[in-house]
Amino acid sequence: MNRRGTPEADLQRAVVQALRLALPRTANIHHCANEVTEPGPRGARRQAILVGMGVHAGFADLMVLCDGRILFLELKAPKGRLRPTQEAFRDAVLAQGFGWALVRSLDEALGALADHGFTTRIVPPTRRSLS
């Protein structure tokens, strides 16, 4: 379902659905709702509470855990850009040896799985051999 003005949310729903089909049933796909969108002092107070509970600015949109591997996926609309907190999170994750990928399409999400050694039940269209 496409909602006007929410390309990243639409992409995320499509990616989650595809990952659930592509990965083994033992895989965990997790979204950490780490931002409060409520404006004003009430939203600021809520965000402060969440930060105190461990919410991390810039945390990736999705975390995929499967067969001893961890991959963080940051989903962006075609023209979306990483914020400085997202760049810092990416750098910290990569420095620790975990996988991280910027994803702008469903094909890129499936390609990121392959690029990071995840075994899937389907082959991304961009990775199929030509015969």
Side-chain angles (χ1 to χ4, degrees):
M1 168 184 359
N2 284 339
R3 292 189 173 112
R4 187 176 194 152
T6 61
E8 287 181 17
D10 294 337
L11 174 61
Q12 185 163 330
R13 282 187 286 274
V15 167
V16 168
Q17 185 177 16
L19 294 182
R20 287 180 178 155
L21 293 172
L23 291 168
R25 288 192 173 103
T26 56
N28 287 298
I29 303 154
H30 178 72
H31 167 69
C32 178
N34 62 340
E35 294 177 354
V36 175
T37 58
E38 185 177 350
R42 183 176 174 162
R45 281 193 301 276
R46 181 69 183 141
Q47 186 69 32
I49 290 168
L50 292 175
V51 168
M53 295 173 67
V55 165
H56 187 279
F59 199 90
D61 294 310
L62 295 173
M63 182 171 56
V64 181
L65 298 98
C66 184
D67 297 332
R69 296 182 183 280
I70 299 174
L71 174 62
F72 294 92
L73 299 176
E74 182 61 47
L75 286 78
K76 289 289 180 189
K79 295 182 181 180
R81 297 178 59 178
L82 293 176
R83 295 187 313 270
T85 56
Q86 292 170 323
E87 291 174 346
F89 179 81
R90 174 202 59 205
D91 296 346
V93 163
L94 293 174
Q96 294 179 56
F98 296 109
W100 184 96
L102 176 61
V103 172
R104 296 181 188 280
S105 70
L106 185 54
D107 285 346
E108 286 184 10
L110 295 173
L113 293 178
D115 292 345
H116 290 87
F118 284 75
T119 302
T120 61
R121 295 183 277 179
I122 60 174
V123 177
T126 57
R127 305 263 191 273
R128 289 188 182 137
S129 62
L130 301 173
S131 29

